[in-house]
Amino acid sequence: MFGDMMGMMGKLKETQQKIEETKKRLDTVLVDEKSSDNLLKVTLTANRTIKSIEIDESLLQDKEQLEDYLILTLNKAIAKATNVNEAELAAVAKEGMPNIPGMDMFK
């Protein structure tokens, strides 16, 4: 029994290390999102850090329109990056979960 507990603890520690490695790798995964008319483009990492924003000249004439474009496009990009982030981390966590009776909700 004690050996099983030590094995589980080792597996959890290994999984934690894999999660940290995955988080670092997600800093290099880029997610692009564009407005429907391609006047605004944003690029984020899968860890939801903004890397670039490209704004068409025509949007610089109208502050409110630009703000609307930024809000809509950034929210879509953040949602997309969040999906990538959660899927990657969930896959690593699921892979490393020890087989504990009654805890199969994570599988």
Side-chain angles (χ1 to χ4, degrees), residues 22-93:
T22 300
K23 286 180 182 179
K24 286 179 186 173
R25 186 179 57 75
L26 289 173
D27 278 333
T28 66
V29 175
L30 299 180
V31 175
D32 293 320
E33 186 63 49
K34 298 179 201 173
S35 61
S36 57
D37 54 9
N38 293 325
L39 295 179
L40 180 71
K41 179 185 172 193
V42 297
T43 302
L44 279 68
T45 67
N47 281 328
R48 297 172 298 270
T49 300
I50 298 171
K51 296 305 260 181
S52 70
I53 299 176
E54 296 175 28
I55 303 170
D56 187 271
E57 283 288 321
S58 64
L59 288 177
L60 299 177
Q61 311 307 315
D62 186 343
K63 180 180 180 283
E64 274 187 41
Q65 182 184 19
L66 175 57
E67 289 169 347
D68 290 343
Y69 269 73
L70 284 168
I71 290 168
L72 290 172
T73 308
L74 283 168
N75 280 334
K76 285 196 293 185
I78 291 168
K80 195 184 281 187
T82 297
N83 287 339
V84 171
N85 184 288
E86 289 175 353
E88 291 287 325
L89 291 176
V92 172

